[in-house]
Amino acid sequence: MNPLHDKDELAPPRAKERRCRVFLLIVSSSLALMIAGALVFVANDRDLPPYTMLVGAGVGLTLIACLCEIARLRRITRAHALAMIGTNDGMWEWDPVNKELKVGRRLSSILGYADNFLSDSEQWTRLIHPDDRAGYHEAVASHLKGITPHFYHEYRVQAADGAYRWLAARGVAQRDRRGVARLMAGSITDISERRADEARIRYLAHHDSLTGLPNRSQLMEQVPRLIARAAGRGDMLGVLFIDLDRFKTINDAMGHSVGDMMLKSVARRIAEALRPLDQVYRQGGDEFIAVLPEISGAGDAGHVAERILEAITRPMREAGLDLHTAATIGIALFPGDGADAETLLRNADTAMYAAKARGGSSCHFFSEQMNERLQRRVALEAALRNAIAGGQMELHYQPQVNVADGRVVGAEALLRWRHEGRLIPPDHFIPVAEETGMIHTIGEWVLDTAISQAARWHADCATPPRVAINLSPRQFWHSGLARGIIQRLQGHRLPAGSIELEVTESVLIQPEGPAIGELRALRQHGLHLALDDFGTGYSSLSYLRNLPVNRLKIDKSFIFPLAGQRAENPQDAAAIVRAIIAMAHSLSLSVVAEGVETAAHLQTLKVMGCDLYQGYLLSPALPADQFAANFLRPA
């Protein structure tokens, strides 16, 4: 096919042929005019019949029509040329019979070759990438055979600089009366940028943008194939679930940019600690998955896990900072711990959490006992959700007694869960509630119920007790805790001094955090504050000095040895309790001893100067109406 525009014309001989055709049309038209004029002259001179003049007029009209057609074709040619320049495509035409191939200058420019760099289609084929030749030939053959209405194919062609460029070729064949293709012509577009964009999108779909590691999507594609291969070969396969320790602390304290640098460094270190056959994936956040094919047993997986732990715990130098972290690893093995990817990942995750529960910075193999514990935990979580929705929670109240005169002066509200006909103590389900976030709903219910009960006792009793309510540290995570408690007191017209709030020493982890501010606001409003389970946690005296508490509660683990029966070193326990009481009094704090069960306990505490006690010596925790009947006097 001839070129259709100036900027993308085919080889120069083709242009000459076109100019020759125009020249011949002009010459033939001139001859036709001369013949027509001669006929008219002869007819007039020799008195020929009139039809002779008609023939001359017809020849002239034909000439005019030819000239108009030539002008129209030239306009179409120019318009088509402008359109092709706008498309920025390269033109080509090919003769399927003699294999002659002609391409335009634009295609030569795309590939960086000189004009007329091709002699035939075989030379073009040699430039096509070896991996793309079969597809190219198939697409051409399908169109020549009439299978496809037009030819279209995307393939790579070698440019003059040796690099391959992606081209999209399109065209259509001209056929004779028998349907045989005699000519094929079309255009070629450079799609290298589009293909590069598509490759980047595919890469990002299967790789983590921060570390460059394969992501979970690729993990779930590859692990089933590795499992099938291991099953066919009779091999074992290991899955390591790697979770960084204390990463959130570093991220929050030093910023996300430092955290990102640490994650990239950890990713490199894990990859370096693996064997050549192994692969590490980024699960998300600070979690990584390592897959170990072709291992002979648990020992191989354990050795790799130990190398990973050692690599991660080495000090890191990032952005001029010395960073330290560690990791906890859970290990699951195919086929013993699961026959599919989901099961292996879940069991490795379970093993990792079991290692976390033991303090972290270690690796742990999955066992079926873990799975049983996990199933019990899941069942407990589901039952707890139903209990909250079904109103199965209750508050019981244990009396707090003045050591000096035996008067009941307070009542601690203790949460109970009535499940399947029995009461479940809070230490069995509160940890689950805190981990799942259900503690916020439970805590709101406890505050509503206990403050309402305190208001009723305040209205109905001659000497209403101060009601102590336990707060979970996680309740301080939501802003407005103090404001909500104060609003409840105001709604019930209850004096602030009627309520005591108990918190554990875990609030000391972040002494400048929101919890301390909330506690100070409550103390300033007049509520009493007690530090529960003192001595079992952090017990920082410098923090205690700044805490806005009124009272310390000594944990029962220190009280039990005071009786001296079946207790190791009762003298040491007594020294600790005596020191706590003396320290509290020096800070103007009162002291409550928990877990007082015998008269010997009470006598020892009285000698030591303890202020209040609670425990089974007087009464266990009781429902509100029974507590009132036993210990309160009507107004």
Side-chain angles (χ1 to χ4, degrees):
M1 179 175 292
N2 289 330
L4 297 177
H5 57 84
D6 297 337
K7 294 287 183 70
D8 191 41
E9 61 180 351
L10 298 175
R14 206 65 173 169
K16 291 180 180 178
E17 292 176 7
R18 184 179 66 181
R19 289 194 292 269
C20 288
R21 286 199 299 270
V22 173
F23 176 75
L24 290 175
L25 282 172
I26 295 173
V27 172
S28 62
S29 300
S30 301
L31 289 174
L33 283 172
M34 293 174 61
I35 294 170
L39 288 172
V40 172
F41 175 78
V42 172
N44 290 333
D45 185 55
R46 299 189 179 183
D47 197 19
L48 291 177
Y51 67 82
T52 304
M53 296 180 65
L54 292 174
V55 170
V59 171
L61 291 173
T62 301
L63 173 61
I64 293 171
C66 289
L67 292 174
C68 292
E69 182 65 19
I70 290 171
R72 189 182 70 85
L73 290 174
R74 291 187 68 184
R75 286 195 302 271
I76 293 174
T77 300
R78 291 193 194 99
H80 195 215
L82 290 173
M84 294 310 299
I85 292 173
T87 62
N88 206 29
D89 288 352
M91 301 297 298
W92 59 272
E93 67 175 42
W94 177 57
D95 187 337
V97 178
N98 59 26
K99 307 301 182 185
E100 181 183 2
L101 176 66
K102 296 183 182 298
V103 300
R105 291 176 180 173
R106 175 59 187 153
L107 180 57
S108 301
S109 175
I110 290 174
L111 297 175
Y113 291 109
D115 294 341
N116 298 325
F117 69 100
L118 296 174
S119 59
D120 55 27
S121 57
E122 291 299 326
Q123 189 174 353
W124 177 256
T125 301
R126 286 193 291 272
L127 295 177
I128 298 175
H129 194 284
D131 295 341
D132 299 341
R133 287 174 188 167
Y136 169 80
H137 288 308
E138 182 180 355
V140 172
S142 295
H143 181 56
L144 292 178
K145 294 176 182 178
I147 299 174
T148 57
H150 62 274
F151 162 70
Y152 181 83
H153 191 62
E154 297 182 4
Y155 56 103
R156 289 164 289 179
V157 175
Q158 190 174 34
D161 60 3
Y164 282 91
R165 300 191 67 82
W166 277 99
L167 303 179
R170 59 185 63 78
V172 65
Q174 185 182 48
R175 305 176 187 276
D176 59 19
R177 294 178 179 177
R178 294 177 299 171
V180 178
R182 296 297 181 182
L183 181 66
M184 193 169 171
S187 63
I188 285 181
T189 305
D190 184 358
I191 59 169
S192 299
E193 289 188 10
R194 193 202 80 194
R195 280 285 190 157
D197 291 340
E198 292 173 352
R200 281 192 293 269
I201 292 171
R202 286 194 300 271
Y203 178 85
L204 292 175
H206 292 86
H207 291 80
D208 173 53
S209 59
L210 177 65
T211 63
L213 294 177
N215 60 13
R216 180 175 173 81
S217 174
Q218 193 166 351
L219 170 72
M220 299 311 294
E221 289 181 8
Q222 293 181 355
V223 171
R225 292 197 294 268
L226 293 173
I227 290 175
R229 180 183 177 186
R233 293 164 54 101
D235 292 334
M236 294 182 69
L237 179 140
V239 173
L240 276 57
F241 199 110
I242 307 162
D243 184 85
L244 298 185
D245 299 335
R246 303 183 301 278
F247 175 74
K248 185 178 185 303
T249 302
I250 296 173
N251 211 32
D252 292 344
M254 300 185 178
H256 291 282
S257 59
V258 175
D260 288 347
M261 286 188 287
M262 172 176 276
L263 288 174
K264 288 190 284 189
S265 179
V266 166
R268 288 193 301 270
R269 292 186 177 197
I270 294 175
E272 292 168 358
L274 298 177
R275 305 171 305 163
L277 288 175
D278 303 335
Q279 178 63 58
V280 58
Y281 306 80
R282 188 181 179 197
Q283 167 86 346
D286 60 346
E287 296 177 341
F288 298 85
I289 305 291
V291 179
L292 318 179
E294 299 182 22
I295 59 175
S296 59
D300 290 348
H303 290 319
V304 174
E306 291 293 342
R307 287 203 303 269
I308 293 173
L309 287 179
E310 190 275 331
I312 292 176
T313 53
R314 290 199 309 268
M316 303 178 190
R317 183 76 176 173
E318 299 290 349
L321 301 172
D322 290 323
L323 304 177
H324 299 269
T325 188
T328 302
I329 302 178
I331 307 172
L333 303 175
F334 169 85
D337 298 332
D340 58 82
E342 287 287 354
T343 303
L344 285 172
L345 288 169
R346 184 175 64 250
N347 290 343
D349 190 16
T350 300
M352 185 273 293
Y353 274 107
K356 286 273 190 186
R358 297 187 177 186
S361 301
S362 62
C363 57
H364 207 80
F365 285 88
F366 173 79
S367 67
E368 195 56 42
Q369 290 76 16
M370 293 180 190
N371 203 25
E372 293 173 0
R373 287 196 297 271
L374 179 62
Q375 291 176 356
R376 289 196 299 269
R377 161 64 185 270
V378 171
L380 177 62
E381 181 179 333
L384 184 55
R385 292 187 187 278
N386 292 332
I388 295 171
Q392 299 176 15
M393 297 294 171
E394 300 178 7
L395 281 185
H396 289 191
Y397 297 86
Q398 187 173 44
Q400 293 179 334
V401 188
N402 188 301
V403 172
D405 56 21
R407 290 182 302 110
V408 173
V409 296
E412 181 180 4
L414 297 172
L415 184 63
R416 297 291 185 265
W417 172 17
R418 189 172 296 278
H419 180 61
E420 296 179 351
R422 64 188 182 91
L423 290 176
I424 300 178
D427 57 344
H428 287 194
F429 64 86
I430 287 298
V432 175
E434 290 184 327
E435 291 178 18
T436 59
M438 287 186 280
I439 192 64
H440 298 290
T441 303
I442 295 175
E444 292 292 307
W445 179 86
V446 169
L447 285 169
D448 287 336
T449 305
I451 291 176
S452 296
Q453 184 61 61
R456 286 193 292 271
W457 283 339
H458 190 78
D460 299 339
C461 300
T463 54
R466 177 183 291 125
V467 175
I469 304 171
N470 290 276
L471 295 178
S472 166
R474 292 181 180 248
Q475 289 179 262
F476 290 93
W477 290 7
H478 290 182
S479 61
L481 176 63
R483 183 174 62 254
I485 293 173
I486 293 169
Q487 288 174 349
R488 287 179 174 89
L489 295 177
Q490 293 171 344
H492 288 283
R493 300 182 183 276
L494 185 65
S498 302
I499 298 296
E500 181 171 86
L501 300 173
E502 296 187 7
V503 297
T504 61
E505 294 181 4
S506 56
V507 298
L508 299 175
I509 297 176
Q510 295 179 318
E512 293 83 18
I516 305 302
E518 295 280 327
L519 291 174
R520 289 196 176 110
L522 292 166
R523 173 69 181 272
Q524 290 170 1
H525 195 75
L527 284 89
H528 283 245
L529 302 178
L531 190 59
D532 198 10
D533 300 334
F534 185 79
T536 61
Y538 302 92
S539 303
S540 171
L541 298 183
S542 62
Y543 291 157
L544 179 61
R545 182 166 51 92
N546 296 320
L547 278 175
V549 297
N550 307 86
R551 181 172 293 165
L552 295 184
K553 299 191 72 175
I554 304 177
D555 187 71
K556 60 184 178 182
S557 61
F558 295 100
I559 303 302
F560 178 76
L562 297 181
Q565 298 176 352
R566 301 185 303 279
E568 296 182 2
N569 302 321
Q571 295 83 5
D572 293 344
I576 293 173
V577 173
R578 187 180 296 108
I580 292 175
I581 294 173
M583 177 196 63
H585 287 169
S586 68
L587 295 172
S588 300
L589 304 177
S590 61
V591 179
V592 180
E594 296 183 294
V596 176
E597 298 182 358
T598 67
H601 286 151
L602 179 57
Q603 182 60 34
T604 303
L605 291 170
K606 184 179 295 187
V607 171
M608 292 180 178
C610 184
D611 302 291
L612 305 175
Y613 80 90
Q614 64 185 83
Y616 277 34
L617 176 62
L618 179 63
S619 173
L622 301 172
D625 54 350
Q626 191 174 346
F627 180 92
N630 290 356
F631 304 111
L632 302 181
R633 184 165 53 86

